[in-house]
Amino acid sequence: MPKVKTNPGAKKRFWLTGTGKLKRRHAYKSHILTKKSTKRKRNLTYPALVDKADEKNIKLLLGIK
């Protein structure tokens, strides 16, 4: 059986925690920051967990069972 290739785009965007959950970065933090509040920009800085509905597909892209 062939090896499962890791999707290069996914490997840059997601990572596993120690307990096997997936983490991601927030969107909307790259440009047009003047109209966003300081609190909103600060909250977009920290990583978030991937939603349970998307976990299966992302794990497939990362080559994780």
Side-chain angles (χ1 to χ4, degrees):
M1 191 163 163
K3 291 182 182 177
V4 178
K5 285 196 174 181
T6 303
N7 180 290
K11 111 178 130 181
K12 293 172 195 170
R13 289 170 173 82
F14 304 102
W15 64 99
L16 276 174
T17 64
T19 55
K21 294 175 186 171
L22 284 164
K23 287 187 113 178
R24 64 173 175 86
R25 287 178 200 83
H26 280 99
Y28 309 112
K29 183 80 196 303
S30 56
H31 62 104
I32 315 175
L33 298 171
T34 50
K35 61 175 81 171
K36 294 171 189 156
S37 70
T38 310
K39 180 181 179 180
R40 183 172 162 196
K41 288 185 282 191
R42 183 174 61 247
N43 289 332
L44 290 172
T45 300
Y46 306 108
L49 291 175
V50 169
D51 195 69
K52 196 171 186 284
D54 302 320
E55 265 188 29
K56 186 180 175 186
N57 289 329
I58 294 168
K59 283 187 176 182
L60 264 173
L61 291 171
L62 294 173
I64 302 166
K65 281 192 171 186

